[in-house]
Amino acid sequence: MKILMIGLGSIGQRHLRNIKRVYGEEAQILAYRVRGLKRTFSDTMQIRENVSLEEEYNIKSFDDLSKALLEKPDIAYITNITKSHIPCAIACAKAGCHLFLEKPISDSLDGIEELAEIAAEKKLKVFVGYQNRFHPGIQYLKQFLAEGSIGRILSVRSVVGERLTTMHTYENYKDTYMARKDMGGGVLLNQMVHELDYLYYLFGQPKSVYALGGINGNLGIDVEDNLDAIYRYETEQGTFPVSVHADFYQYPPSRFVKVVGEKGHITVDLLKAEVTQAVGDEVTVIPYPDFARNDMFIEELKLFIDCIREDTEPAIPLADGIVSLKMALAARKSMETGGVIDEFTGTV
C-alpha cells in the first residue's frame, strides 16, 4: 500500500503509528506537509526530542500536493485542519485515492457534493474517522437499546467538556486549530461533533434543533467555547429530547451519555470506559478495564483497509459524515439566529 498523509499533526501521527504497527513494511508512507513542523509525538502526546518523523518511518515528504499525487498513492489520509479537508480530499479523489477523512469532514457544505460525485464515479471508498463509535460502551449501549430493556426513551443527555488551555501542552492553545475560526475551530466542530455522530449512530436523524452558546468565557479566542443544543427526535414510540453540551473549560475532562427510559436508565462514561445501567431496582456496573483509547483507532484502521480490500461499504461512510456535519451546522445556525431549526432533515 502506498499511503499519502495529508498533514502530520497529532492525529495524523497517531494514524501513522497505527498504520506501521498493523501493516509494517507493507505500508509505504508519503506525506504532504504545509507547515513542516518538526514535532514527533509519542502515544501519550509527549514530544519525542531529537526524533525525526521522516527518518523513523522512512517518509517521503512534499510541500506541493500535486507533486505528491504524481507518486500515485492508493490511499490518502486527510488529517490537516478542518477548513482544508474537502479541497485536499477532492484533489486526492481525482487522483484515484481511497480516502480516510478525519472528522468533521469540513466546516461548511462547500465542495462536499463534488467529492461525493467523484468518489461514486471512481468507486472510491471514503471512511470518516469517528472513532467513538468503536468505544465498547457505545457498542454496548447500541445493543442494549435494541433490546428495549428500559422501555420507551424519555430523554438523552450527552456531555463533553475539556480544558482547552491544557489539551495540547506543547503549544499555545490560541494557536491551535481548535481555537481559530480561520482553521474551522470551535467547541462545536472539534468536540461536540463526535457526540453528534454517535447520537446519529444510536438514534438516527433528529427533526429539529435549538441551541445556545458562543464565546462565553475568558479564553480570548474567536470561536464558541460553550454550546448547548437540544435535538428533537420522533419515533414510533414517541418524541424525546436529546440535549448535548460541550465546553472548553472542564477539568478533569468529562464525557458521557445518559439515556432515560420508562423502566430505567443507562449511562456510558467514555473516559472511565464504564457503563452503569439500572433496570427496575437492579443496578449493574460494567467496567472495561482492558480498554485503551488507541484501540478505537486501530479498529477503524482495520475496517478501513478491509473495506478497500474486500470492496465493501465503509463502516462509517461519507454519507454519515455529511449528516453529522449538517447536525452541527444546524446547531450553529440556531445559536447564531436564536431560533429553532424546524423539521431538520439533514439540510441546512
Side-chain angles (χ1 to χ4, degrees):
M1 296 180 292
K2 190 178 287 189
I3 300 176
L4 172 62
M5 307 298 297
I6 307 289
L8 277 172
S10 57
I11 186 61
Q13 289 190 34
R14 178 185 290 277
H15 290 306
L16 171 63
R17 291 192 301 271
N18 288 336
I19 289 167
K20 296 304 286 187
R21 282 184 181 124
V22 176
Y23 298 102
E25 294 305 311
E26 185 181 355
Q28 179 184 346
I29 306 299
L30 309 168
Y32 167 53
R33 309 188 72 179
V34 175
R35 293 188 293 170
L37 298 178
K38 299 301 182 182
R39 294 189 294 241
T40 300
F41 298 101
S42 68
D43 283 337
T44 56
M45 290 296 293
Q46 302 300 311
I47 300 293
R48 300 172 63 199
E49 299 293 343
N50 302 315
V51 176
S52 166
L53 196 67
E54 275 83 358
E55 291 180 6
E56 179 157 350
Y57 294 105
N58 192 26
I59 300 171
K60 187 175 182 180
S61 290
F62 300 83
D63 58 8
D64 184 307
L65 180 54
S66 61
K67 291 181 179 178
L69 291 173
L70 290 176
E71 299 285 322
K72 300 188 181 303
D74 307 296
I75 293 167
Y77 265 72
I78 313 297
T79 64
N80 52 355
I81 63 172
T82 302
K83 187 174 282 291
S84 298
H85 281 183
I86 296 302
C88 290
I90 288 173
C92 292
K94 286 180 176 178
C97 300
H98 299 290
L99 302 174
F100 184 99
L101 189 53
E102 259 303 336
K103 54 67 200 155
I105 59 174
S106 185
D107 62 346
S108 76
L109 299 177
D110 295 345
I112 290 176
E113 184 176 345
E114 180 184 357
L115 175 61
E117 290 174 353
I118 296 168
E121 179 185 344
K122 291 180 173 288
K123 296 182 171 53
L124 301 174
K125 307 300 181 184
V126 183
F127 191 112
V128 183
Y130 281 112
Q131 76 277 355
N132 283 330
R133 287 202 193 186
F134 307 113
H135 191 288
I138 296 296
Q139 291 289 312
Y140 181 88
L141 177 57
K142 188 169 180 64
Q143 179 181 345
F144 180 85
L145 293 175
E147 294 168 355
S149 301
I150 56 173
R152 183 169 66 90
I153 295 173
L154 302 178
S155 67
V156 179
R157 174 67 168 164
S158 177
V159 169
V160 55
E162 187 171 359
R163 191 167 63 190
L164 178 64
T165 56
T166 52
M167 279 189 201
H168 291 180
T169 55
Y170 49 84
E171 62 184 338
N172 186 322
Y173 75 90
K174 291 185 179 181
D175 296 329
T176 66
Y177 64 89
M178 294 176 289
R180 294 176 54 175
K181 186 176 182 179
D182 64 338
M183 291 185 174
V187 77
L188 172 61
L189 288 179
N190 291 277
Q191 292 287 76
M192 184 186 282
V193 76
H194 276 289
E195 276 54 42
L196 299 184
D197 174 72
Y198 73 62
L199 290 169
Y200 168 63
Y201 175 62
L202 294 169
F203 304 111
Q205 291 191 42
K207 291 296 183 181
S208 66
V209 62
Y210 176 68
L212 289 171
I215 305 172
N216 297 340
N218 60 356
L219 293 173
I221 58 179
D222 66 351
V223 288
E224 78 284 342
D225 53 27
N226 275 268
L227 195 146
D228 283 87
I230 299 179
Y231 290 88
R232 179 170 60 92
Y233 275 81
E234 294 181 357
T235 68
E236 293 180 356
Q237 289 74 39
T239 300
F240 61 92
V242 174
S243 64
V244 192
H245 169 82
D247 69 71
F248 275 153
Y249 291 94
Q250 290 192 56
Y251 184 83
S254 177
R255 194 164 220 157
F256 68 86
V257 58
K258 182 174 185 178
V259 182
V260 178
E262 292 178 315
K263 300 177 183 178
H265 57 84
I266 180 170
T267 301
V268 177
D269 188 318
L270 281 81
L271 300 184
K272 289 183 180 179
E274 181 178 277
V275 174
T276 302
Q277 66 184 52
V279 180
D281 295 330
E282 184 176 350
V283 178
T284 306
V285 178
I286 305 168
Y288 296 92
D290 298 327
F291 170 74
R293 184 168 180 266
N294 198 53
D295 295 345
M296 300 184 293
F297 295 92
I298 292 287
E299 178 70 11
E300 67 178 4
L301 164 63
K302 290 179 178 178
L303 288 171
F304 174 48
I305 299 303
D306 285 350
C307 82
I308 294 171
R309 290 177 166 173
E310 299 169 10
D311 192 22
T312 56
E313 181 72 5
I316 310 178
L318 178 60
D320 286 15
I322 293 172
V323 171
S324 60
L325 175 60
K326 288 179 175 179
M327 288 174 69
L329 294 178
R332 172 166 287 169
K333 183 177 180 180
S334 176
M335 178 180 67
E336 293 173 348
T337 63
V340 175
I341 306 303
D342 279 321
E343 295 307 314
F344 178 73
T345 59
T347 58
V348 179

